[in-house]
Amino acid sequence: MTDHTNTIWIACHGYGQLARYFVKRFDVLDAVENFVIAPQGLSRFYSDGNYGKVGASWMTKESRELDLHNQRQYFDMLFDQTLSKVDWGKCSLKLFGFSQGVTMISRLAAYKQLTFDQLILWAGGMPHEQTVADWEYLQATSKIDLVIGDKDEFFSQKTVDSQLAKVKELTGIDAKLTVFAGKHEVTREVLSQVVS
């Protein structure tokens, strides 16, 4: 982060990814004006049968409440160490989640009551446990985008419609839907188009 930074991003990766590789997608952003923070899912595992490739997960159903507690502590530490001295009068905040990271960034936003300019929900769903009360703090000026590939193997039109309705129900904001030609992936070309 420098004196020229005017946009801070928090980007949560998807299941089986590592933050250090995921963050490279954001090289389409002007590095002088944008500062991207890509937190790492706390549960790492070997994602192939040869103990070679490592991936990470934000959580599973096992010890779910403990994982949620640990994640809140992790994000508190991240904010205290990285963002405590940011002049938010000079910087905007943008939030990004991909796949399982959509649930994580949504939890983070509501937990920390983050006032963001843009929230990009890419090929994932908001948490089942969230209620309208979690989002009452949100300002109507915030923008929410739902992005999905037309060949995404995890999403049907019914699922997309359901997520659009859920975003509206929880936040009161009509999300803008972007459908691109592709699968369950983040592409630089589409990311550069969605960024407002």
Side-chain angles (χ1 to χ4, degrees):
M1 196 170 348
T2 70
D3 291 340
H4 300 289
T5 302
N6 59 34
T7 305
I8 296 173
W9 290 79
I10 302 175
C12 291
H13 64 78
Y15 177 82
Q17 297 180 317
L18 292 177
R20 70 175 180 261
Y21 301 120
F22 177 69
V23 74
K24 292 179 181 180
R25 304 277 198 301
F26 294 83
D27 61 9
V28 297
L29 303 174
D30 182 338
V32 174
E33 297 182 353
N34 293 272
F35 180 70
V36 182
I37 300 168
Q40 175 67 62
L42 298 179
S43 301
R44 287 189 279 281
F45 58 91
Y46 290 111
S47 58
D48 62 15
N50 300 318
Y51 302 102
K53 186 177 178 186
V54 175
S57 170
W58 290 102
M59 67 185 312
T60 65
K61 64 183 179 180
E62 186 72 23
S63 301
R64 184 175 181 276
E65 292 304 316
L66 177 61
D67 283 346
L68 287 171
H69 171 77
N70 290 341
Q71 288 165 2
R72 286 190 291 267
Q73 287 190 318
Y74 173 46
F75 283 120
D76 284 341
M77 183 183 68
L78 175 74
F79 271 73
D80 290 345
Q81 293 182 359
T82 311
L83 301 173
S84 61
K85 296 181 181 177
V86 171
D87 182 351
W88 292 109
K90 295 180 180 177
C91 287
S92 66
L93 178 64
K94 296 195 177 193
L95 306 176
F96 182 100
F98 169 63
S99 192
Q100 189 185 47
V102 168
T103 306
M104 198 65 249
I105 201 68
S106 300
R107 286 189 178 113
L108 170 64
Y111 165 64
K112 298 293 282 184
Q113 297 197 343
L114 299 177
T115 302
F116 54 83
D117 287 344
Q118 185 178 20
L119 169 62
I120 300 174
L121 309 174
W122 194 304
M126 296 183 85
H128 297 294
E129 77 274 5
Q130 286 191 333
T131 66
V132 173
D134 293 315
W135 294 92
E136 285 179 343
Y137 77 92
L138 196 60
Q139 299 176 358
T141 55
S142 296
K143 178 181 176 186
I144 301 178
D145 290 86
L146 181 62
V147 183
I148 189 76
D150 62 357
K151 296 177 184 65
D152 192 307
E153 57 271 37
F154 301 107
F155 272 76
S156 65
Q157 186 60 51
K158 183 178 178 182
T159 310
V160 172
D161 293 342
S162 172
Q163 282 305 311
L164 286 169
K166 186 165 189 174
V167 169
K168 174 68 173 178
E169 175 192 346
L170 291 177
T171 68
I173 295 173
D174 288 310
K176 177 185 175 186
L177 176 63
T178 299
V179 179
F180 66 94
K183 297 183 178 181
H184 194 72
E185 59 190 345
V186 177
T187 67
R188 289 172 172 87
E189 179 184 359
V190 179
L191 178 58
S192 62
Q193 294 169 6
V194 172
V195 175
S196 60

